[in-house]
Amino acid sequence: MTATNQHQLPLVTFLVSACIAIGFAAGVAVGIQPLFMGLGVVVILALTYFFASFSQAVLVLLIVRSSVDIFSQLQIPSVLAVGIDILTLMYVTKMLLQQQKVHTDSFWWFFVAWIMMQALWVVLLPLGGLGLDGAYLVDSLREWVRLFSWLMLYLLVMQLKDHVEPSVMLSQLLLGLIPPISLALLQMFLPSILPPLLSANAGGEIGALVSGTEIRIRGTFGHPNSFATYLLLFISLTWWKLGEAKNRLPWLLLLGVLSMFFVSTKALFSLMMLATFVLVLIAPRLNLLKIIGGILFFMLVIGLFASTPFGQERLSSLANTPLLNPDIDISRAILLAQGDNNSFNWRLSQWTYLLEQWQHYPLLGFGLGLSTYVSTNQLLPHNDYVRALVEGGIVGFTTYILFFFAQGARLWSIIKSPLTISSQRSLCLILFAFLLAVPVGMITENIWSHTTMFFYWWTILAIAGWQWKPHTTTP
């Protein structure tokens, strides 16, 4: 037997085994439901395309992800996430069997350890080691799979290293803006028509939020707040493109368009994130031009937000909270929350109750992804730090904070590496500014549940860690 045949033998064995398994599964599926046969054909065609045109297929998956939240009622986002998990595992298995290099980095291995650590709460739940019991295992497991999908996505994107130009791929990711931006335009100009059109597929969850003459757009997302964090991430990416491109006009126009939609989400927390992002971005190099540009950009966004009655109402509501009114303490704010419809006071009430419940299980909490079952209204805490403490206790909260420090350390190591080129370093500095803005938003929002934003965050973070070539340019 030749060396070539010996090299191909593991792959042949893998393919034969896979064919037998697929044939058996197809026979069982057809016996249960003939319609599954058609679905099986689609799956086979998709797998063939994936392995035949790997780079192109992955890019299509990345671009399409921004559009699928509109089909949440049909569980399409979950199916896509599980599909990516399976495809990643299959592709990596193929690479290993062919004795080809599987690309990883130091952060990915830390990510693996962190994900495995989170599985501890899934295991302890049915064993009675947490505040809730095994009856909630499915919900907890679902949350763990969501986090595991981020790990698989990072690994999948890493396999494109040395096959795709980083700056070109980052530019192509911007194509994912087209569906949510297009739908957001319809929500701005046809608010009374769009919700009924979408209700059949999305249970009425995707139309514009309308209150009188006020519209909160959400694009293809389930909530305007999720759309806001997604937009801020792509504002960050556009900001980088603006600094690298020779022809800046298209990127300036795109930045203006994204800013308009960002304001139209009318998410108050996102303004604090934007302020943090701009501040961190201009702080390292305090020159007059950057200071003026950053201040003007932030003032423009604030001005647009405050130009509407809804924005004015949200800003003025802060005056009736302990945040800006020294005459209102937390206990009074909790009482006011029962009748004044002030969202910040409502949050204080929610956090106070959840923290009281956490004290019953302070070390390990109630279980991964189960904070909604601890609250009195079946809602997330609107504070990711409270959520981490309630779900994971002190141990889980510590790993949660450590996870964000690790991301910052990863970006900082790339920035300081002698192998990092200038455009890569600029991207990492902008990503670092965005990363510092996320914990600010987490104080009053459920950003940890903004899956689509994190989907693209892990994609861009993986690309940022590639070894960029010196001739890498931005169109």
Side-chain angles (χ1 to χ4, degrees), residues 24 126 133 144 155 159 175 177 184 228 256 264 274 285 308 346 352 373 429 434 447:
F24 178 77
D133 55 31
W144 186 84
L155 181 61
Q159 305 321 302
L175 294 173
L177 286 167
S264 298
L274 180 64
R285 299 177 182 176
T308 65
W346 174 86
T352 301
Y373 294 102
L429 286 170
F434 178 82
I447 293 182

Side-chain angles (χ1 to χ4, degrees), residues 132 136 139-140 142-143 346 350 353-354 357 366-382 386-388 390-391 446 449:
L132 294 174
Y136 301 90
D139 298 274
S140 190
R142 184 183 295 115
E143 174 65 9
W346 174 86
Q350 175 89 331
Y353 175 79
L354 288 172
Q357 298 304 306
F366 286 85
L368 194 66
L370 301 180
S371 56
T372 55
Y373 294 102
V374 182
S375 67
T376 58
N377 49 22
Q378 301 293 290
L379 295 176
L380 289 169
H382 289 73
V386 173
R387 175 180 180 177
V390 170
E391 294 184 358
N446 303 309
S449 65

Side-chain angles (χ1 to χ4, degrees), residues 1 3 17 29 46 96 127 132 138 174 220 239 290 303 318 321 381 401 433 435-436 441 451 466:
M1 183 178 293
S17 302
L96 292 174
L127 297 179
L132 294 174
V138 172
L174 292 168
T220 54
W239 195 306
K290 286 192 174 183
L318 294 177
T321 69
I401 298 299
L435 178 64
L436 293 181
T451 304
W466 293 355

Side-chain angles (χ1 to χ4, degrees), residues 10-253:
L11 179 59
V12 172
T13 304
F14 171 73
L15 291 175
V16 171
S17 302
C19 288
I20 294 174
I22 291 173
F24 178 77
V28 174
V30 171
I32 298 174
Q33 174 55 263
L35 185 62
F36 288 166
M37 189 61 183
L39 180 61
V41 172
V42 173
V43 171
I44 292 173
L45 291 176
L47 287 173
T48 302
Y49 170 66
F50 179 80
F51 285 100
S53 304
F54 175 70
S55 298
Q56 188 180 58
V58 172
L59 183 60
V60 170
L61 286 173
L62 297 177
I63 293 174
V64 165
R65 181 58 184 87
S66 63
S67 309
V68 300
D69 279 0
I70 193 173
F71 304 109
S72 293
Q73 290 291 103
L74 301 176
Q75 301 298 315
I76 298 300
S78 300
V79 171
L80 181 61
V82 173
I84 289 177
D85 295 346
I86 295 173
L87 288 174
T88 302
L89 292 172
M90 291 180 65
Y91 185 80
V92 170
T93 301
K94 180 183 82 74
M95 296 288 286
L96 292 174
L97 290 174
Q98 291 181 315
Q99 299 181 2
Q100 296 181 9
K101 183 178 181 180
V102 175
H103 293 288
T104 60
D105 56 33
S106 57
F107 177 77
W108 187 81
W109 287 106
F110 174 85
F111 206 165
V112 170
W114 188 83
I115 289 293
M116 294 301 103
M117 179 69 178
Q118 302 311 301
L120 172 67
W121 279 266
V122 179
V123 173
L124 289 177
L125 189 65
L127 297 179
L130 304 176
L132 294 174
D133 55 31
Y136 301 90
L137 180 60
V138 172
D139 298 274
S140 190
L141 183 61
R142 184 183 295 115
E143 174 65 9
W144 186 84
V145 170
R146 185 177 77 97
L147 302 180
F148 178 78
S149 296
W150 295 351
L151 175 69
M152 290 295 98
L153 172 67
Y154 193 100
L155 181 61
L156 181 64
V157 174
M158 284 298 298
Q159 305 321 302
L160 296 177
K161 183 180 178 182
D162 300 331
H163 296 285
V164 182
E165 191 72 17
S167 62
V168 173
M169 185 170 179
L170 290 172
S171 297
Q172 291 172 332
L173 284 180
L174 292 168
L175 294 173
L177 286 167
I178 296 176
I181 291 299
S182 300
L183 192 56
L185 278 172
L186 291 175
Q187 291 167 358
M188 291 178 70
F189 297 108
L190 298 173
S192 61
I193 297 177
L194 195 59
L197 292 176
L198 294 172
S199 60
N201 288 331
E205 292 293 327
I206 303 300
L209 291 181
V210 183
S211 177
T213 59
E214 292 295 327
I215 305 169
R216 294 188 66 191
I217 64 167
R218 54 173 85 178
T220 54
F221 290 72
H223 196 280
N225 291 357
S226 302
F227 192 31
T229 54
Y230 166 82
L231 287 173
L232 184 57
L233 178 59
F234 276 84
I235 285 173
S236 306
L237 187 57
T238 304
W239 195 306
W240 173 70
K241 300 293 288 186
L242 177 64
E244 298 296 317
K246 295 180 179 179
N247 182 10
R248 297 188 175 188
L249 181 59
W251 300 111
L252 275 173
L253 293 175

Side-chain angles (χ1 to χ4, degrees), residues 292-314:
I292 293 175
I295 292 175
L296 287 177
F297 178 68
F298 181 69
M299 289 183 64
L300 174 64
V301 173
I302 288 289
L304 290 173
F305 186 86
S307 65
T308 65
F310 181 87
Q312 295 167 10
E313 180 184 348
R314 294 301 300 274

